[in-house]
Amino acid sequence: MRVNLLIAVFSFTLLTGCKTQVTTINKEKSKTETIAIPIKEYSILAVLWQQHAAEYRALTYQAFNTAKLQLDDILANKTKIEKPLAIVTDIDETVLNNSPYNGKLIERNEDYSETSWIAWGKEKKAKAVPGSLHFFQYAQDKNVEVFYLSNRLSVQTSETLENLKQLGFPFADENHILLRTDEGGKETRRKKIQRSHDIVMLIGDNLSDFSEVFDGQPTKVRNRKADSLKTYFGNKYIVLPNAMYGDWETKGILEGKYYWTNFQKDSIRHSKVINY
Ligand SMILES: [Mg+2]
């Protein structure tokens, strides 16, 4: 058991180089001392969980098994088809597993950056999220089109399509991918798909993959909206687990304040832990 009690929230601290320094109280020695914590230290357990926990895989299988049951049900009950049917899916942590990128940030002691993210995408090494490939191939067999709606940058289009194609994902072509151009919100792009297709299902790891009501919202609102839409989950909305990153952290825990220093972020994380 750790002897040192971290009192990072209000202690004297400095951000030096790539480490967040925090002052701790060593109870045994009755003195304070300063230690340096690597800036991605807080993310290690989440990355390990996604890479190693059989429970993570079980959850992704559960999501895609549910998606298949729902799709079968939708197809069995569609009496009139006016527009081609479509599934809209996110890409990262929904069909492609980017946990090695998050692992690399830990090794390099770096924060996310567009440069390193684009470099990882160019490697085209992301593997399929368990269960995803089988499900999307099944959808194709049932004549349901798949649209990849992602906030990867539009400059990443060719390597993203190649990565998807190498893995065998259907509809990995220019007509079925909508990456980010300017706005991060996905509603405009969803509406664009809706004009030509009947969207029967949405799949993602971030609640903004489903509805704009979650866009940019703080934790309380996100939770309240999730409660109000509870009948949609496992139904029209299929959710994948992602403990490594997401709006739950940036918009929720960190309240969208990207300019905060790593030490401030560390303090905020500590302050938001619920205990008794
Ligand atoms: Mg995602």
Side-chain angles (χ1 to χ4, degrees), residues 90-94 186 204-206 209 242 245:
D90 172 51
I91 293 178
D92 297 312
E93 277 44 77
T94 299
K186 293 185 168 180
D205 65 300
N206 197 41
D209 295 330
N242 182 7
Y245 65 88

Side-chain angles (χ1 to χ4, degrees), residues 34-265:
T34 300
I35 59 169
I37 299 175
I39 57 173
K40 298 304 284 185
E41 183 75 13
Y42 74 93
S43 73
I44 288 179
L45 193 62
V47 174
L48 286 174
W49 183 74
Q50 228 138 306
Q51 293 181 336
H52 297 276
E55 287 80 357
Y56 167 73
R57 305 173 73 78
L59 281 168
T60 65
Y61 286 127
Q62 181 171 274
F64 287 110
N65 287 342
T66 304
K68 183 175 175 293
L69 287 173
Q70 289 302 328
L71 186 60
D72 287 342
D73 193 52
I74 289 160
L75 294 175
N77 290 299
K78 273 270 173 207
T79 47
K80 197 161 78 172
I81 296 184
E82 288 167 350
K83 289 193 273 190
L85 304 184
I87 294 171
V88 172
T89 182
D90 172 51
I91 293 178
D92 297 312
E93 277 44 77
T94 299
V95 300
L96 293 182
N97 171 358
N98 299 286
S99 67
Y101 171 72
N102 294 81
K104 186 57 88 178
L105 293 182
I106 292 168
E107 182 197 274
R108 289 183 181 158
N109 201 28
E110 281 176 12
D111 268 325
Y112 165 90
S113 72
E114 242 174 58
T115 308
S116 62
W117 173 245
I118 289 171
W120 155 249
K122 282 193 173 148
E123 298 272 335
K124 294 168 270 181
K125 281 184 182 164
K127 298 211 166 83
V129 168
S132 60
L133 185 57
H134 179 78
F135 172 71
F136 289 111
Q137 287 174 340
Y138 181 78
Q140 184 183 37
D141 289 346
K142 298 287 176 185
N143 294 319
V144 179
E145 287 181 50
V146 178
F147 285 88
Y148 299 94
L149 202 179
S150 159
N151 275 349
R152 282 191 172 204
L153 304 159
S154 54
V155 294
Q156 297 180 279
T157 303
S158 69
E159 56 261 38
T160 303
L161 286 174
E162 274 183 57
N163 199 156
L164 290 167
K165 258 186 248 172
Q166 280 167 10
L167 294 166
F169 279 96
F171 302 103
D173 58 60
E174 299 262 357
N175 296 325
H176 292 85
I177 189 165
L178 296 92
L179 301 188
R180 179 175 183 159
T181 48
D182 44 7
E183 58 174 9
K186 293 185 168 180
E187 188 63 14
T188 307
R189 286 172 281 168
R190 273 193 291 267
K191 284 194 172 135
K192 191 178 170 196
I193 299 166
Q194 241 164 2
R195 285 201 283 274
S196 56
H197 288 72
D198 179 3
I199 300 174
V200 293
M201 187 181 285
L202 297 121
I203 309 182
D205 65 300
N206 197 41
L207 292 178
S208 287
D209 295 330
F210 306 105
S211 166
E212 64 179 337
V213 302
F214 295 104
D215 290 355
Q217 297 298 333
T219 298
K220 264 191 191 165
V221 180
R222 302 182 89 251
N223 283 320
R224 204 168 57 230
K225 300 276 183 193
D227 290 345
S228 71
L229 292 170
K230 63 184 175 188
T231 57
Y232 283 69
F233 300 114
N235 197 332
K236 189 175 181 179
Y237 301 166
I238 302 294
V239 191
L240 275 299
N242 182 7
M244 299 189 300
Y245 65 88
D247 286 354
W248 67 268
E249 182 200 13
T250 50
K251 306 292 192 317
I253 304 293
L254 301 177
E255 299 169 9
K257 298 192 172 71
Y258 297 103
Y259 50 80
W260 274 338
T261 65
N262 280 305
F263 170 67
Q264 286 172 316
K265 289 177 187 173

